[in-house]
Amino acid sequence: MTNQTSPRKMTQAPSPEGPHAGYMPGFGNDFETEALPGALPQGMNSPQKCNYGLYGEQLSGTAFTAPSHQNERTWCYRIRPSVKHSHRYEKIDLPYWKSAPNVVPDVTSLGQYRWDPVPHSDTPLTWLTGMRTMTTAGDVNTQVGMATHIYLVTESMEDEYFFSADSEMLVVPQEGRLRFSTELGIIDIAPQEIAIIPRGLVYRVEVLEGPARGFVCENYGQKFELPGRGPIGANCMANPRDFKTPVAAFEDREVPSTVTIKWCGQFHETKIGQSPLDVVAWHGNYAPLKYDLSTYCPVGAILFDHPDPSIFTVLTAPSGQEGTANIDFVLFRERWMVAEDTFRPPWYHKNIMSELMGNIYGQYDAKPKGFIPGGVSLHNMMLPHGPDKNAFEGASNADLKAEKLDNTMSFMFETRFPQHLTAFAGKEAPLQDDYIDCWTDMEKKFDGTPGKK
Ligand SMILES: [Fe+2]
């Protein structure tokens, strides 16, 4: 059933109509799905001969010996084994996509920084050529830390495929719609949604509506998981059923194709004669997923004070030190503010974690001006920050009735490691030189008078 002239359309497994059409709900579930009936072996993984003449192959996302509750792998039944989608490698250069360690001698990472949205260029850019690294942290070779990127994508990948051996990719769109056609199925995302593409999974990215801009957290370390809720209990925050993994989809397309691989911070190309997206059926718990951020159920203060922002954690990637994340992905979205006799915006602080924020839409309460949709800010390890003067004065004098923070969605990629600016972030991206001045006018109010507020 080879099909050399088929249009670029994948054959997808049937799925029910409705909110989950094309996807299977759940986080970290053991899924099974087949795009052709009977393609998935039942009761075993490696039959002597697979149906349809498929090859069985395991994709291991964790070491074979990882503890059961962390062990992730998926069995794929595919037209060709992956070794047929890999040949000699040739090193290529993607100059704007950097990996840690990447300390640029003449760029100062120590500082509180903010950028306007990185503008689109006139040059057509794909998912690969349009990736602009802002910061790196840790070390890609020892699989600790992360990188943050902004993507600017106007062109679909055409018979081009990619996988990162270095990282899982957390994708946060801000503008435009993208399709991730992966070995394990199709994920479409738009602003207000996120996607996670696991390490090692082959995919191509198509533009459904452009230009597309957004943010990526490239996680070199242990995979993202749902944070423990502790005394919050079994519900709220990110609920597992709201995550969606695609049903199986494949294409049988025999045309000259290129696979680009990110491996130890370097990029390599290999030429093959067919699409590698040829997994007809699969089962397992190592798979891509998407999540609608509007389903995130925030929990917060209902009488006084302001909990730590960790209360808004959507996903966390452990570092090996308990409670200290390699990365936390934190969401600041629409919510009610009701606390009494309380300074309601985020408080002033210094943090051992380093915080990169992005604005998806609307106005962020600690920085009503200047932090605009598509923009980024960085408050690096142990550098003080907090509301600007206007936010402080406004919140200190506000009539504290119940107030809805509406039309607001910002996020944070927070890591235990210091973030180093790339040359692009320090020299080319639209850095707001006056950001540090947002605290300059803060007044001394103390004059020694008891009881003065
Ligand atoms: Fe902070």
Side-chain angles (χ1 to χ4, degrees), residues 89-126:
Y89 293 104
E90 190 179 329
K91 215 175 266 188
I92 62 162
D93 197 20
L94 290 173
Y96 284 102
W97 192 334
K98 300 293 186 190
S99 295
N102 180 62
V103 179
V104 184
D106 57 345
V107 168
T108 304
S109 297
L110 180 69
Q112 298 94 332
Y113 291 116
R114 194 166 66 193
W115 293 264
D116 284 331
V118 178
H120 293 283
S121 77
D122 296 332
T123 312
L125 295 171
T126 66

Side-chain angles (χ1 to χ4, degrees), residues 309 332 346-351 353-355 357 364 379 383-386 412 414:
F332 306 96
W347 23 250
Y348 295 95
H349 76 137
K350 285 165 64 173
N351 192 353
M353 307 288 277
S354 65
E355 309 173 7
M357 287 190 65
Y364 177 63
H379 303 110
L383 292 186
H385 56 281
M412 181 160 66
E414 183 178 69

Side-chain angles (χ1 to χ4, degrees), residues 90-273:
E90 190 179 329
K91 215 175 266 188
I92 62 162
D93 197 20
L94 290 173
Y96 284 102
W97 192 334
K98 300 293 186 190
S99 295
N102 180 62
V103 179
V104 184
D106 57 345
V107 168
T108 304
S109 297
L110 180 69
Q112 298 94 332
Y113 291 116
R114 194 166 66 193
W115 293 264
D116 284 331
V118 178
H120 293 283
S121 77
D122 296 332
T123 312
L125 295 171
T126 66
W127 179 251
L128 301 184
T129 56
M131 200 64 75
R132 301 282 178 269
T133 308
M134 295 295 287
T135 65
T136 66
D139 186 341
V140 74
N141 288 291
T142 52
Q143 299 185 350
V144 294
M146 60 151 216
T148 67
H149 315 279
I150 289 170
Y151 66 81
L152 304 167
V153 182
T154 54
E155 299 286 307
S156 297
M157 295 163 77
E158 303 280 351
D159 300 313
E160 295 174 82
Y161 304 87
F162 173 71
F163 77 86
S164 173
D166 286 344
S167 46
E168 97 182 306
M169 307 272 280
L170 169 60
V171 184
V172 184
Q174 187 265 323
E175 184 182 78
R177 293 171 55 233
L178 294 176
R179 168 165 293 172
F180 292 77
S181 295
T182 80
E183 288 178 292
L184 300 183
I186 302 165
I187 288 182
D188 292 345
I189 52 169
Q192 193 175 285
E193 294 179 305
I194 60 169
I196 293 182
I197 310 295
R199 188 192 296 259
L201 192 72
V202 179
Y203 62 97
R204 71 164 174 259
V205 180
E206 293 146 81
V207 179
L208 298 178
E209 191 183 313
R213 177 173 52 212
F215 313 91
V216 171
C217 183
E218 194 185 345
N219 175 14
Y220 304 148
Q222 202 174 320
K223 290 177 81 266
F224 280 106
E225 57 189 46
L226 294 175
R229 294 188 184 90
I232 293 170
N235 303 290
C236 297
M237 303 170 69
N239 289 301
R241 71 182 282 250
D242 297 320
F243 290 83
K244 297 179 184 183
T245 288
V247 296
F250 73 97
E251 61 191 6
D252 184 9
R253 185 174 162 78
E254 298 187 344
V255 294
S257 303
T258 304
V259 182
T260 301
I261 297 158
K262 180 174 191 285
W263 197 86
C264 294
Q266 296 184 321
F267 293 88
H268 307 74
E269 267 183 10
T270 187
K271 304 286 186 189
I272 58 175

Side-chain angles (χ1 to χ4, degrees), residues 13-34:
S15 73
E17 293 298 310
H20 299 308
Y23 300 94
M24 303 175 284
F27 188 93
N29 289 12
D30 195 53
F31 296 107
E32 68 168 42
T33 174
E34 58 186 14

